[in-house]
Amino acid sequence: MKFYKKIDYFIITGILIGILAFGVLYGYSTLDVSYDGWIYHTYASESDVIQHYAGWVNYRNSPWDFPIAKASILGEGGTVISFTDSIPIVAIICKIFSSVLPETFQYFGIYILVCFVLQEIVAMKLLSLYTDNKLFITIYSLFFVFSPILIERSFRHCALASHWIILFSIYFLLKSRRDNKIRWFGFCLLGLLTISIHPYFLPMVYGLFIINCIEMIIKDKKIL
């Protein structure tokens, strides 16, 4: 029972703090999926987010093709939207429901909000490995959600704002050290998510996974 109460606290508090932190930093206008004006005025010296949006628009207007994330009308012969950093897993889901979405539709604002929420939730779970003091956990988790690196990436390179992937990997590693059990499913799921969001994180995820395996082999001569 205590376990479920702790999880509920982390999820509810993480959602609230993540939403508030996002609002304090950026406001909430970017959550309007039918408003894309902010994309053309964000980081004026950078064009990354415009590229991401263009990839999504061309992918949405392309017929379904193989591979499934291919935007056939983008460039000569088309291209997979992984190369436009348009967060493929989100783009694919949105394309499935494209017919009921507004004519102008962007999902990058909502995605960054989700990143802030997940960043906060996982930060609290990480801190909970070292203390049961909820006040301590809540206060120090703010250093994660207001991380300068996360703020710098958000709305400039949206896919690379997925720092929660790294935090989850660290959490699995530390949790494994405690109970001598590798989180095989967790690492595999993170690997799949990483490929479908941005492969940039893949060496980090599996780097920690390999470290985890090596530690288990050295410590117990086994990894199962």
Side-chain angles (χ1 to χ4, degrees):
M1 189 68 176
K2 184 179 179 181
F3 171 80
Y4 289 105
K5 288 182 179 179
K6 184 180 291 187
I7 293 298
D8 288 341
Y9 175 80
F10 291 156
I11 292 177
I12 294 171
T13 308
I15 290 173
L16 291 175
I17 293 178
I19 291 174
L20 288 173
F22 178 89
V24 167
L25 291 168
Y26 307 109
Y28 298 104
S29 62
T30 58
L31 300 182
D32 181 354
V33 296
S34 62
Y35 171 61
D36 61 2
W38 64 268
I39 292 176
Y40 303 103
H41 301 93
T42 301
Y43 291 93
S45 61
E46 304 275 353
S47 60
D48 285 9
V49 70
I50 299 176
Q51 171 191 299
H52 308 161
Y53 183 51
W56 152 244
V57 171
N58 281 276
Y59 175 62
R60 181 185 186 181
N61 293 323
S62 297
W64 287 102
D65 204 341
F66 183 82
I68 194 173
K70 182 180 180 181
S72 57
I73 66 172
L74 186 59
E76 184 177 353
T79 189
V80 176
I81 56 171
S82 298
F83 296 127
T84 63
D85 298 327
S86 304
I87 317 176
I89 188 172
V90 182
I92 291 170
I93 293 172
C94 289
K95 182 170 181 174
I96 292 173
F97 299 98
S98 180
S99 62
V100 297
L101 297 178
E103 182 177 354
T104 298
F105 180 84
Q106 59 81 21
Y107 48 76
F108 300 99
I110 292 177
Y111 184 78
I112 294 300
L113 173 62
V114 170
C115 286
F116 269 79
V117 168
L118 290 176
Q119 179 90 346
E120 176 64 20
I121 291 174
V122 187
M124 296 182 79
K125 289 181 67 65
L126 269 171
L127 292 168
S128 73
L129 295 177
Y130 298 96
T131 179
D132 291 324
N133 189 315
K134 292 181 179 179
L135 179 62
F136 177 93
I137 292 172
T138 302
I139 293 174
Y140 280 87
S141 67
L142 298 178
F143 287 98
F144 291 82
V145 79
F146 285 105
S147 164
I149 303 174
L150 175 61
I151 295 171
E152 192 277 337
R153 285 299 185 186
S154 299
F155 294 120
R156 185 170 75 82
H157 200 304
C158 299
L160 296 187
S162 310
H163 294 177
W164 52 271
I165 292 175
I166 303 173
L167 292 185
F168 259 121
S169 299
I170 296 173
Y171 175 77
F172 289 149
L173 173 63
L174 296 178
K175 192 72 173 174
S176 175
R177 288 175 177 174
R178 292 198 163 203
D179 56 20
N180 293 321
K181 183 178 180 181
I182 297 177
R183 266 52 186 186
W184 291 96
F185 178 77
F187 275 115
C188 289
L189 181 59
L190 277 181
L192 291 174
L193 280 173
T194 299
I195 293 171
S196 62
I197 293 173
H198 200 292
Y200 174 86
F201 294 107
L202 199 58
M204 305 178 201
V205 172
Y206 281 104
L208 289 169
F209 172 67
I210 292 171
I211 290 173
N212 199 177
C213 291
I214 293 174
E215 286 182 346
M216 291 297 103
I217 292 173
I218 292 175
K219 184 176 181 180
D220 298 319
K221 306 299 183 183
K222 64 179 182 179
I223 59 175
L224 296 176

